[in-house]
Structures are given as C-alpha cells and as structure tokens.
C-alpha cells in the first residue's frame, strides 16, 4: 500500500511532478496557484533541480521553452490572468513542438476578476488562446488525487506527442485538502530527445528549434504536420468517466470541480426517482465527442454544467450536431454551483422535453 | 605546432581558417556588420572546439536568421524573450555555454525586463547585443537607442528627447548589477575593432563555460538600409555619431554573484 498524505491540490501537483522526474520549474506567484511555486521553491533547489521564480509569466513560459527544447522535463503553473500573459509563449511552444506541462488553476474573470474558483478559461484552453492553428492537450482533474495522477500523464503525453499539455484546474481544487497517494510503480517512458538542442555532436546535423517558417508553403506544410498529429491525438487520447448513464433520460456533462458537484446532484436526483446521468470529460481537448453522440440516441436532452456562462456547451452541441436539446446551467464570477438548482433545472427540462 | 596544409606539393602554415558557418547566403544588407558578429562567434566556437557544448538563441529581428548561419544548436525566440530562453537552457544545461544575439529593439525595448533580470540573477550566459540605434527588420523605425535628432521612419523630424526620452545606455545599466561579470562595448567598423570584438567574445564564452556570471557585449553597429545611407556613408555616420554617444571599451571586467 502506498502511503497516504493529506495535501492541498496545489501541493499534490508539485509533489507528483517531483516524483515524475521534473528537471526544471519556472513560475510566477499568483493566487490561487502560489502553493505550487512555493512547494517547488522549497524542494527543487535542495534536490539540485532547476527552479526559477521568473520576473513575469511572460518570462516563465519562455524559460519553459528554452529548457523544454533541451529535451528536459519542465513545467510552469499559473492562474487565469497569468495564463493570458503566457499565451504568446504557448503558441510558439506548440509550433516548435516542445514537450512541457502547463497548469492553469483557474480563477474568476474576465480582467483581474476574483481569486475564487471558476471555469471561465475553457475557450482559452481548448480553442487556442494564443495565435494560430494549434491545440493543447487539456486534462481536467476533479480531486486532489487526480491533481497528482494527471501530472504523470501530462508529462508522458507531452513527450509522446511533442506537444504542450495543460492541466486545467481551478482555485477550489488547488486549495482544498484531501488524502492523496502517489504512484509507486511509475516508470518514465522511453523518450527520444535526438531533436533537442543538447549541443551539436559530430554524428548529427545541427538541431534548430523554431516556429519561424517565412515561406508560406513551408508554414502551410508545418500546419498540416501539426494537424495530422492532432488527429492522432483525437483518435487515441480521449478520456472520460460515465456515471449512471445506462438508463439516463437527462444527461449531465460536466468536468473538473463541477463534475463533483454534479455527481452529488445525480445521487440526489436518483433518490427522487429522476433518471439522470453524467458524462465527465477527463480531457476537454480532445473532447469526448463520440460518447456524447452515442448517448444522444438515448437521453431526451443534455445539460452542460460549468462554472462559466456557457463555454463547453458549444462543444456539446457540435458533438451531436444539435440533434437533441442542450441547455446550460452555470455560475460565474467565483460562485460555486448548487445541487438544488441543478435538480430544479432538470425537472424543468423533463417537463419541457 | 602550427597547423599546415599542402597545396601543389608545397607546405603552408595555416594562419586563418574560414569559420565553419553553414553554407547559406547571409541575408544581411551590404555594409551591415551583423554578419561579422556571427563569423567571429563561429571562429571562436571552432577554435575552442566547443560546437557540442554551446547553444544559441536568436530572437525576432535581423538576428532571427542567425540559426541559418551559425553551426551549432540554436533556438528561435519570440520578440524580446531571448534572455528568458537562455535562462531556461542554462539552468538545465549548466555545462554548456549559452549565447543570445539580440538587436536593440529586441533587447532594449520589448525585452528589457528579461534582459535586466537575467543580468541581475547573474545567469552565466553571453548576451551579444547588436545596437544600431534602429529597428532594422521592420524598416527603420525609432528604437530606444536611437540618437537625439536621428531621423527614422517613425521620427521623421528626428528623435525629440522631450517626446521619446534619451537613448538608453543598457551597458551602463547592467554593469551596476552584481550578476554581470563582464560588460563591454565593442564595434566592428575596422579590422582592429573586429579583432577586439573577437577577444571579447572569447572571454565571454569562457565566462559562460565556467559559470562566472553574465557577459554582456554591446556591439555598436550600423544599419545602412535603416539609416538610409550607402554602406560607405553608414561607416562615416557610425564613427562620427554612434561611437561618440556609445564610447567603446570595457565597462566591467570582473563580477558575478559569488
């Protein structure tokens, strides 16, 4: 049995990264993410692992670029306004195909917003965020345990596909304390770093890491190459969890913190004899389109539940080509969802459809 | 023992070797000293035999295509972010020398924060700062380093210090930081100065390999196209104006965080 720890989500994330063999962390303080940086500041220098508290998020993401392009396991973490600042670097990293792990412990926006939890950065996470045609692999934990587990997965996926992987968390998951166990049998998969800038040896040509393709034909080719990779990721890396979907008449769709509250709502509704179920995306890109499409043959309608005014709902509608009704229930600005309101909304929908 | 080569049955001492740059034509305009910087840097890499132990960063601006010329591993950076990339590289590859080649728009304007903080942390990197007092690649706009009265495409009546302040002397700023171990201003307007520049690069590479702190080499350069001058006229303007405002020489030869 692995040892159990009582930890904050932010701390569990950092500890998992150390256990996953991180080679460098570059970050900048911002609430509600700062414990990630603080945890690393304590442990990485003691272990002789690279750690820099950068002068800004802009610098932090570019330090990730530099170190990641040397084939090292590197990450940064931030919260919403900081992730906005990083978008330039994220776009460069995506094009230059540098493996790295990014963490956004979301808070309420837009603007300076609030330090309370939110899921308002969904569009930014899955639709690009920065400029150009690129995608991030986006993992969505819903517990402190998953805050840890998904770090290993994020590093492995980023190296498998030479693509930045985003862990899309939120202020509640980052700040809450729960018990967590760390993998004891984790082995880092084999990783070919022959593309990286490690110093030009005589037995190979020079390695150049760039996102500059000044000839349009070359840029187009690069884009097609990236799109081909994204297609493979969509085919292979979709991850989700199903809860009581077998006989559900209304299907809830929720990720991250929302999915925990929705699970509770499913239990309460079932006690009242209301047949509801939950599809919980564990990856929001690639999005679990197929399973949502499959259950659209069975449920009367979907209810997309997010801590935003309705962002993921667009992907739900696209997944089913708007064949059945899809409604949104959400809270925004740092307010957390209410199970009572979810059930109220469900009853309304059952009357309607 | 001097290296020799045999040609037509006769033995010659090698006094100079062409730097082992990539076989690409340089895009720099006629008369521009940018290429001289890369040639000298490659000479130093070749002579020290450290091709396997050096990584370069070339950010947006005329420096960006340096990876088409330099013969070592290179990373391209976003505008202004070279020193952040170099920090990331050096922190995970401490045995390697790491250099940036940056123009004045890149280093002194959009990337000033990254530059100053890298110097202040004493990152053991080599910052090669090509200062020609203008944005070259975008067509000759005013830079933070543009001289008072200098006409550019975005200061058509000449730089007015009341509107835009005085030219930023970055070398004078970074010499004050404990983190820098070597701060010097060099030029490449003649063979003597080019040789001095090469010596400076040699020293900076040693500093980076031995993790002594930040080396900052400002190459006071020219930009015939941006200045709207012929190569010959640009040399005259370079010597009469640039070298007067940005005097050459070492500003600091020892330092670094102990």
């Amino acid at each position: 049995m692995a040892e159990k720890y009582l930890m904050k989500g932010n701390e569990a994330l950092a500890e998992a990264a150390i256990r996953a063999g991180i080679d460098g962390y570059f970050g900048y303080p911002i609430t509600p993410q700062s414990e990630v940086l603080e945890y690393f500041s304590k442990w990485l220098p003691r272990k002789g692992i690279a750690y820099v508290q950068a002068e800004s998020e802009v610098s932090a993401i570019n330090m990730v670029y530099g170190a990641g392009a040397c084939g090292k396991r590197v990450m940064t973490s931030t919260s919403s306004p900081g992730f906005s600042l990083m978008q330039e670097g994220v776009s460069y990293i995506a094009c230059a195909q540098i493996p790295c792990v990014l963490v956004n412990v979301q808070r309420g926006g837009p603007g300076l917003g609030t330090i309370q939890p939110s899921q308002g950065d969904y569009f930014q996470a899955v639709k690009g965020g920065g400029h150009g045609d690129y995608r991030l692999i986006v993992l969505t934990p819903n517990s402190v345990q998953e805050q840890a587990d998904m770090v290993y997965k994020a590093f492995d996926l980023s190296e498998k596909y030479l693509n930045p992987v985003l862990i899309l968390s939120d202020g509640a998951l980052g700040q809450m304390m729960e018990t967590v166990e760390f993998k004891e049998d984790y082995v880092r998969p084999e990783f070919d770093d022959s593309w990286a800038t490690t110093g030009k040896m005589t037995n190979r040509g020079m390695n150049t890491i760039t996102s500059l393709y000044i000839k349009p034909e070359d840029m187009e080719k690069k884009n097609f190459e990236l799109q081909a990779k994204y297609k493979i990721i969509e085919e292979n890396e979709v991850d989700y969890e199903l809860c009581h979907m077998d006989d559900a008449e209304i299907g809830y769709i929720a990720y991250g913190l929302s999915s925990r509250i929705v699970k509770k709502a499913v239990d309460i509704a079932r006690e009242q004899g209301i047949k509801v179920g939950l599809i919980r995306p564990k990856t929001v890109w690639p999005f679990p389109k197929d399973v949502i499409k499959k259950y659209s043959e069975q449920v009367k309608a979907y209810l997309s539940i997010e801590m935003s005014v309705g962002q993921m709902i667009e992907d739900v509608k696209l997944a089913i080509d708007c064949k059945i009704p899809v409604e949104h229930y959400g809270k925004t600005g740092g307010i957390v969802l209410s199970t009572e309101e979810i059930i109220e909304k469900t009853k309304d929908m059952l009357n309607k459809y | 023992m001097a290296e020799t080569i045999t040609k037509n049955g006769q033995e010659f001492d090698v006094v100079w070797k062409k730097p082992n740059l990539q076989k690409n034509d340089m895009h720099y305009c006629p008369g521009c000293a940018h290429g001289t910087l890369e040639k000298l840097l490659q000479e130093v890499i070749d002579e020290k035999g450290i091709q396997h132990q050096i990584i370069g960063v070339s950010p947006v601006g005329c420096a960006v295509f340096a990876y088409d010329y330099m013969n070592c591993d290179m990373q391209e950076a976003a505008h202004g972010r070279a020193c952040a990339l170099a920090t990331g590289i050096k922190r995970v590859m401490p045995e390697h020398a790491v250099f940036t080649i940056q123009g004045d728009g890149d280093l002194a304007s959009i990337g000033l924060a990254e530059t100053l903080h890298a110097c202040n942390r004493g990152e053991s990197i080599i910052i090669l700062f090509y200062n020609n007092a203008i944005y070259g690649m975008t067509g000759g706009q005013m830079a933070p380093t543009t001289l008072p009265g200098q006409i550019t495409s975005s200061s058509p009546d000449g730089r007015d210090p009341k509107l835009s302040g005085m030219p930023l002397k970055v070398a004078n700023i970074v010499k004050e930081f404990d983190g820098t171990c070597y701060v010097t201003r060099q030029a490449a307007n003649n063979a003597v100065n080019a040789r001095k520049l090469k010596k400076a690069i040699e020293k900076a590479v040693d500093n980076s390999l031995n993790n002594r702190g930040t080396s900052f080499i400002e190459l006071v350069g020219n930009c015939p196209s941006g200045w709207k001058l012929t190569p010959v006229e640009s040399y005259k303007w370079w010597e009469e104006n640039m070298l007067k405002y940005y005097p050459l020489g070492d500003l600091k030869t020892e330092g670094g965080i102990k």
Side-chain angles (χ1 to χ4, degrees):
Chain A
M1 266 292 278
E3 224 171 314
K4 277 190 178 172
Y5 298 85
L6 182 64
M7 288 180 114
K8 276 191 169 192
N10 282 339
E11 294 167 343
L13 203 144
E15 177 61 28
I18 294 169
R19 291 174 188 241
I22 192 172
D23 295 310
Y25 171 86
F26 309 92
Y28 186 83
I30 183 169
T31 309
Q33 163 276 158
S34 298
E35 294 83 0
V36 182
L37 171 112
E38 288 168 354
Y39 197 92
F40 282 131
S41 75
K42 180 173 179 184
W43 291 106
L44 295 189
R46 290 178 196 196
K47 292 172 183 283
I49 298 169
Y51 164 85
V52 181
Q53 180 174 326
E55 57 272 24
S56 68
E57 286 91 347
V58 176
S59 280
I61 190 71
N62 281 287
M63 290 174 189
V64 165
Y65 181 122
C70 296
K72 300 291 184 180
R73 242 181 192 193
V74 291
M75 74 182 271
T76 186
S77 58
T78 185
S79 179
S80 306
F83 198 50
S84 293
L85 272 175
M86 288 185 181
Q87 292 308 318
E88 175 200 43
V90 174
S91 170
Y92 279 67
I93 285 171
C95 185
Q97 304 202 77
I98 298 166
C100 61
V101 173
L102 318 171
V103 179
N104 179 1
V105 183
Q106 294 173 94
R107 55 188 256 183
L112 191 52
T114 167
I115 56 170
Q116 303 303 323
S118 163
Q119 295 181 320
D121 302 348
Y122 179 89
F123 283 153
Q124 187 187 48
V126 306
K127 306 292 181 193
H131 57 283
D133 288 324
Y134 75 90
R135 293 287 190 178
L136 303 178
I137 299 172
V138 186
L139 310 182
T140 50
N142 79 350
S143 64
V144 172
Q145 182 63 54
E146 283 191 356
Q147 293 261 111
D149 293 343
M150 285 190 180
V151 171
Y152 302 87
K153 185 174 176 182
F155 275 123
D156 293 353
L157 285 174
S158 78
E159 287 169 3
K160 182 175 174 188
Y161 292 106
L162 299 183
N163 207 71
V165 176
L166 171 65
I167 297 177
L168 189 64
S169 177
D170 68 68
L173 290 169
Q175 295 297 324
M176 68 165 68
M177 289 185 93
E178 287 184 318
T179 53
V180 55
E181 289 175 21
F182 296 97
K183 294 170 193 263
E184 285 187 328
D185 53 352
Y186 175 72
V187 183
R188 184 179 173 178
E190 288 232 346
F191 175 52
D192 172 17
D193 70 350
S194 59
W195 53 272
T197 55
T198 50
K200 186 194 169 302
M201 305 302 282
T202 44
N203 61 356
R204 68 158 166 87
M206 69 177 272
N207 285 343
T208 302
I209 306 299
T210 185
S211 64
L212 174 63
Y213 298 88
I214 202 125
K215 287 186 196 149
E217 293 78 12
D218 294 347
M219 190 72 247
E220 186 183 52
K221 197 175 142 216
K222 184 75 201 178
N223 268 301
F224 289 156
E225 197 184 302
L226 290 174
Q227 293 303 318
K229 177 175 82 172
Y230 299 150
K231 195 161 175 282
I232 294 169
I233 296 171
E234 282 193 284
E235 281 162 8
N236 294 291
E237 305 301 343
V238 171
D239 196 8
Y240 57 85
E241 181 190 344
L242 297 177
C243 169
H244 292 296
M245 279 305 290
D246 289 348
D247 60 346
E249 292 177 348
I250 297 287
Y252 295 149
I253 300 174
Y255 72 92
L257 184 70
S258 296
S259 66
R260 286 176 69 133
I261 299 164
V262 172
K263 263 191 192 174
K264 184 74 188 164
V266 170
D267 290 343
I268 297 169
R270 289 259 163 193
E271 278 169 21
Q272 297 177 17
I274 306 168
K275 288 182 178 170
V276 292
L278 165 68
I279 300 174
R280 176 205 159 203
K282 290 165 88 173
T283 55
V284 284
W285 199 89
F287 195 66
K289 288 184 268 193
D290 292 345
V291 69
I292 292 172
K293 199 170 179 184
K294 182 183 144 197
Y295 282 103
S296 71
E297 309 283 332
Q298 173 196 312
V299 299
K300 291 177 177 162
Y302 276 127
L303 180 60
S304 176
I305 303 173
E306 308 168 66
M307 281 151 55
S308 77
V309 295
Q311 299 188 16
M312 182 180 65
I313 185 172
E314 294 188 6
D315 283 337
V316 177
K317 287 181 174 179
L318 280 173
I320 58 167
D321 294 325
C322 297
K323 275 184 185 148
I324 61 165
V326 183
E327 295 205 11
H328 163 77
Y329 166 72
K331 291 284 189 185
T332 178
I335 310 284
V336 177
L337 307 168
S338 126
T339 48
E340 290 82 7
E341 287 179 15
I342 295 171
I343 290 162
E344 239 7 77
K345 177 95 184 166
T346 311
K347 287 176 180 167
D348 285 351
M349 287 173 73
L350 280 168
N351 286 334
K352 233 184 341 182
Y353 305 118
Chain B
M1 262 258 308
E3 200 181 332
T4 57
I5 52 160
T6 310
K7 228 171 189 181
N8 302 331
Q10 217 183 328
E11 205 172 72
F12 296 93
D13 283 347
V14 175
V15 292
W16 181 77
K17 254 190 187 172
K18 234 179 149 173
N20 182 29
L21 291 162
Q22 296 182 67
K23 309 273 179 271
N24 293 323
D25 293 334
M26 283 190 171
H27 75 287
Y28 300 118
C29 306
C32 172
H34 219 303
T36 311
L37 177 61
E38 277 118 357
K39 283 174 198 156
L40 292 173
L41 175 59
Q42 189 68 47
E43 278 184 29
V44 172
I45 293 171
D46 297 345
E47 286 163 15
K48 288 185 182 289
I50 53 160
Q51 196 186 27
H52 64 288
Q53 214 186 341
I54 191 161
I55 301 167
V57 182
S58 59
V60 169
C62 289
V64 78
F65 293 112
Y67 63 65
D68 279 341
Y69 317 131
M70 296 305 301
N71 199 343
C72 62
D73 280 359
M74 293 286 292
Q75 296 187 15
E76 168 253 3
H79 199 20
R81 317 297 176 223
C83 284
L85 265 70
T87 298
I89 299 168
K90 187 65 185 176
R91 292 294 180 116
V92 296
M93 310 288 279
E95 309 296 316
H96 284 57
V98 179
F99 68 87
T100 69
I101 303 181
Q102 304 176 251
D104 42 310
D106 188 82
L107 182 144
S109 191
I110 195 168
L112 190 62
E114 285 79 358
T115 307
L116 297 189
H117 282 281
C119 289
N120 191 50
R121 285 191 302 265
E123 303 293 343
S124 292
I125 59 175
I126 307 146
I127 300 173
L128 300 167
F129 171 35
Y130 190 87
N131 175 14
N132 53 9
I134 207 152
Y135 282 80
M137 186 170 259
T138 46
Q141 293 82 14
M142 183 179 69
T145 46
T146 294
L147 301 184
Q150 185 183 339
I151 291 169
T152 71
S153 67
S154 62
S155 58
D157 299 322
R159 178 179 186 150
D160 179 357
K162 280 187 183 151
L163 282 179
S164 313
M166 289 293 283
L168 205 55
K169 290 184 171 173
V170 186
N172 294 61
I173 302 172
V174 300
K175 83 162 202 276
E176 298 299 328
F177 296 158
D178 290 338
T180 51
C181 63
Y182 181 43
V183 180
T184 188
R185 218 182 256 126
Q186 302 288 335
N189 57 320
N190 56 45
V192 174
N193 281 347
R195 287 179 72 89
K196 284 186 188 163
L197 172 61
K198 186 175 170 185
K199 287 265 177 249
I201 295 170
E202 283 170 356
K203 189 174 159 74
V205 169
D206 275 344
N207 287 338
S208 183
L209 284 172
N210 292 295
N211 292 305
R212 292 192 192 114
T214 313
S215 297
F216 187 95
I217 301 177
E218 175 174 344
L219 166 55
V220 182
N222 64 338
C223 181
S225 299
W227 295 351
K228 311 284 185 271
L229 298 173
T230 65
V232 174
E233 287 165 352
S234 85
Y235 270 63
K236 194 161 175 268
W237 202 88
W238 188 357
E239 280 151 21
E240 287 174 0
N241 298 281
M242 291 293 283
L243 299 186
K244 205 166 125 199
Y245 195 86
Y246 299 109
L248 304 184
D250 292 345
L251 285 80
K252 183 178 187 180
T253 53
E254 266 182 45
I257 294 162
K258 304 286 186 267

